Each structure stands twice: as C-alpha cells, then as structure tokens.
C-alpha cells in the first residue's frame, strides 16, 4: 500500500497546572488531557523522489518545512535514512477541521499522524513508546496525540500515564475564528506574572505530581463522576489569556451561564469548552451561546470525548 489516510484527533485539557521552571527552559506541568472526536484527516502518500511535500486546505497553515507535519517527516527520514531511501519521499495532505492556534493541539495531532503514517508506509514496525519518544522531539503535545484517550501528562507534557475511561461526555467548543493565541506568549507572560509562586526543586514538583494522581480530577474520572469532573476543571493559563482577551472571558461567562457541568479554556487557548452528559444538552448550549453572543466570528462545535488519538481510516 502506497497511501494511508488517518484521522488525527484534537485534545482538550481538563486540567493544566504550571508547577515551575525546568532546566531546559520549559515549564514543569501537571495536566489531564482528553481526546475529542473533532479530527483532521491526514493522508500520507509515497513519492518516487525523496522529497517531503505538505499541502493543506487551510490558508493559515504553512505548506513549507516549518509545518510541524513536515518536520515530523524530516525527523523520520533523518532517523530511518534507509527506509526513506528504499520507500521514497512522502506527500502529506491535511484536511483541517481542528481550528489553528486554538489550544486544541491541531498541529501536534497532524505531526502525530505523520509519525504513525510513515511507520506504516515505511514498514518500520515501531512501538507506541518509540513513536512517542520521536514525538517528544517535535513538541510537548505530540506524544499524547499519538495514542490519545485520557491521560495524565507531566514533565513538559510528554510523560504520559494513561487513565481509566472517563464518563462519556460531550464538549461544546467555542473559538473566535479571527483570534489565536501564541503558546510561547502565554507561557512567557505567565512566567513574568507568577514566577514568584513557582514551586522550587524536584521534590516539591514530585509531591505536587503525586497530589494530582490522588486529586479530585483523577478521582472523578476513576469514579465516572461527571458533576465532580466538571467541578475539578482547572487551567493556570486562564490567568493570563482571559485578561488579555476580554472576548474569551465573555465567551467563558456565556458558556457558564448556559449551565454545563463545567467550563474551561483549553491549553493556551483561546478555545473555551463546556461539558455535558448528553448531545441534546450540548446542542442546547451551543444555540444559547450563539444567540447570546450573536457574533459571526464565533465558531462552535459539539464534540464527544474520544478514546483514540491517531486512527487509520478508509
Ligand atoms: O512543546 P511545544 O513546542 O508545544 O511548546 C511551545 C512553547 O510553549 C514552548 O516554546 C514554550 O514557550 C512553551 N511551553 C513551556 N513549557 C511546557 C510546554 C510548552 O514553557 N511544558
């Protein structure tokens, strides 16, 4: 087979706590990540030449070597030069459904799909652990995006512990289409404002990690307790993104007023989500928020928790 078509799922953060500095300049995090069924389609196709090509139907996605999906293929070619030589280059086509610069790991999901797709195209037989190690070289969210589901992510976000299946929830996602937030900006601004509160030392970080493992979010997931899960939603980055973007704070307020189980900004934003137990409740909230804010720039999606990251499709 010279072509594989994959679905690459978006993620939301049910929990994101910034613990402190890391020696590599990144932040030490404790997060709970959840895949949702909003997904991009990524097709990888062998080329007779050794070239790596990316094409995408979204105007804001670069089609050159700066695209994370292109970097994923270049990394595979560098690690497995014989397979690259033997099977040739690759054309990567990305059909975008996941909004860009949204805090939903769309770019990371695309890169994860390229790793999985090239593993199959080049018949490498890599394990999920090996793919995750490669993914961590590309970005902190890439390892999670490979397997998806529900996981605790620590370290930079690349250290994963899978969690039991959460309750079957729906997430209404809302994002102003013209607004995106730069992740380095969000973390950099957080550092400027909250550095004094950072936990110091590996031991303090490890105690906090342990606390999350036995904390309300993980307990709500383990007990399939949807109301408790809604109450345990938390994201430190809201403290910098909401004040800088009042429209996002207003969107969050509108979602809270619509009465879901709980409402949160995902990752570095600006996507905000609210959780419900049924599709009907999610669609009602979607309509209420659309009517209340009445802004054509606001896009809303009803999604469902998903147990997969990258998935082969027909
Ligand atoms: O790993 P990724 O490329 O997605 O990270 C994007 C940016 O987010 C980093 O350059 C850094 O500024 C910030 N970041 C961080 N600590 C993390 C993850 C990301 O400071 N654990």
């Amino acid at each position: 087979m010279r072509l594989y078509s994959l679905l690459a799922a978006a993620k939301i953060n049910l929990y994101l706590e910034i613990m402190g500095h890391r020696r590599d300049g990144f932040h030490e995090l404790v997060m709970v990540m959840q895949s949702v069924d909003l997904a991009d389609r990524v097709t990888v196709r062998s080329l007779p030449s050794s070239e790596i090509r990316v094409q995408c139907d979204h105007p804001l996605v670069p089609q050159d070597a700066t695209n994370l999906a292109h970097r994923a293929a270049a990394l595979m070619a560098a690690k497995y030069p014989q397979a690259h030589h033997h099977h040739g280059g690759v054309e990567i086509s990305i059909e975008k459904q996941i909004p860009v610069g949204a805090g939903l790991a769309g770019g990371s999901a695309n890169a994860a799909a390229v790793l999985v797709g090239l593993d199959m195209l080049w018949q490498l037989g890599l394990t999920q652990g090996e793919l995750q190690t490669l993914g961590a070289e590309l970005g902190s969210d890439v390892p999670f995006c490979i397997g998806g589901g529900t996981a605790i992510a620590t370290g930079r976000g690349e250290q994963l512990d899978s969690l039991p299946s959460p309750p079957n929830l729906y997430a209404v996602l809302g994002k102003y289409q013209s607004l995106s937030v730069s992740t380095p900006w969000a973390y950099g601004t957080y550092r400027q404002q909250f550095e004094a509160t950072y936990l110091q030392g590996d031991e303090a970080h490890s105690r906090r990690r342990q606390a999350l493992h036995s904390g309300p979010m993980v307990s709500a997931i383990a007990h399939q307790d949807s109301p408790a899960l809604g109450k345990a939603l938390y994201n430190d980055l809201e403290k910098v993104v909401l004040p800088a973007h009042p429209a996002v704070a207003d969107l969050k307020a509108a979602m809270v007023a619509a009465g879901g189980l709980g409402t949160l900004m995902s990752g570095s934003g600006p996507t905000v989500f609210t959780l419900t137990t049924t599709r009907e409740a999610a669609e009602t909230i979607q309509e209420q928020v659309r009517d209340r804010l009445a802004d054509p720039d606001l896009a809303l999606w009803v999604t469902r928790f998903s147990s997969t990251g990258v998935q082969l499709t027909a």
Side-chain angles (χ1 to χ4, degrees):
M1 165 103 68
R2 314 304 298 153
L3 175 155
Y4 287 99
S5 192
L6 305 125
L7 287 178
K11 64 85 188 155
I12 54 176
N13 297 85
L14 302 178
Y15 189 92
L16 190 163
E17 181 182 324
I18 300 175
M19 290 199 291
H21 290 299
R22 289 169 57 88
R23 291 179 192 90
D24 61 11
F26 281 61
H27 286 89
E28 190 71 21
L29 305 176
V30 266
M31 303 190 284
V32 176
M33 320 271 267
Q34 174 64 53
S35 301
V36 292
D37 64 0
L38 179 68
D40 291 341
R41 181 182 288 270
V42 178
T43 304
V44 292
R45 191 180 277 111
S46 281
L47 289 175
S49 68
S50 63
E51 218 182 327
I52 297 168
R53 267 191 234 149
V54 176
Q55 60 166 54
C56 181
D57 56 359
H58 192 294
L60 293 180
V61 173
Q63 310 211 26
D64 59 14
T66 62
N67 187 305
L68 200 58
H70 191 291
R71 287 174 46 208
L75 176 69
M76 291 292 267
K79 298 274 180 184
Y80 304 100
Q82 283 180 341
H84 182 207
H85 181 73
H86 181 75
H87 293 278
V90 59
E91 181 175 65
I92 302 160
S93 306
I94 305 169
E95 291 165 51
K96 272 294 197 206
Q97 297 292 331
I98 307 171
V100 175
L104 298 172
S108 301
N110 297 164
V114 170
L115 297 179
V116 172
L118 278 182
D119 174 47
M120 292 190 292
L121 208 56
W122 292 354
Q123 298 171 358
L124 295 168
L126 300 176
T127 63
Q128 183 154 306
E130 287 167 331
L131 289 169
Q132 286 172 344
T133 303
L134 289 166
E137 292 191 35
L138 297 163
S140 308
D141 286 341
V142 179
F144 171 77
C145 288
I146 293 168
T150 312
I152 295 184
T154 55
R156 270 163 56 209
E158 88 291 11
Q159 304 281 340
L160 301 173
D161 284 316
S162 57
L163 282 169
S165 294
N168 244 325
L169 296 179
Y170 291 83
V172 184
L173 313 182
K175 179 184 177 285
Y176 287 101
Q177 292 168 87
S178 61
L179 181 65
S180 32
V181 169
S182 141
T183 304
W185 171 86
Y187 280 99
T189 308
Y190 190 89
R191 183 193 304 258
Q192 277 167 18
Q193 293 183 18
F194 296 101
E195 199 167 14
T197 68
Y198 283 9
L199 293 176
Q200 302 292 338
D202 293 348
E203 209 170 299
H205 288 172
S206 135
R207 272 201 302 274
R208 197 64 207 120
R209 259 193 300 274
Q210 296 274 313
L212 180 83
H213 274 86
S214 53
M217 175 54 76
V218 172
S219 164
I221 290 170
H223 294 100
Q224 302 256 313
D225 185 340
S226 306
L229 193 155
K231 286 197 191 77
L233 296 172
Y234 181 79
N235 183 352
D236 266 331
L237 289 172
E238 286 190 339
K239 294 184 211 161
V240 292
V241 177
L242 299 191
H245 298 285
V248 181
D250 291 348
L251 171 58
K252 185 176 177 193
M255 283 194 167
V256 170
L261 293 167
T263 304
L264 194 73
M265 185 182 80
S266 181
S268 53
T271 302
V272 177
F273 65 89
T274 194
L275 302 178
T276 67
T277 50
T278 65
R279 179 171 291 279
E280 293 68 38
E283 285 170 355
T284 305
I285 289 179
Q286 182 185 32
E287 269 167 46
Q288 278 179 12
V289 172
R290 186 177 283 141
D291 290 350
R292 195 183 181 109
L293 295 173
D295 185 337
D297 192 37
L298 177 63
L300 293 155
W301 298 261
V302 170
T303 67
R304 192 175 195 184
F305 281 15
S306 160
S307 59
T308 51
V310 176
Q311 221 183 334
L312 195 58
T313 173

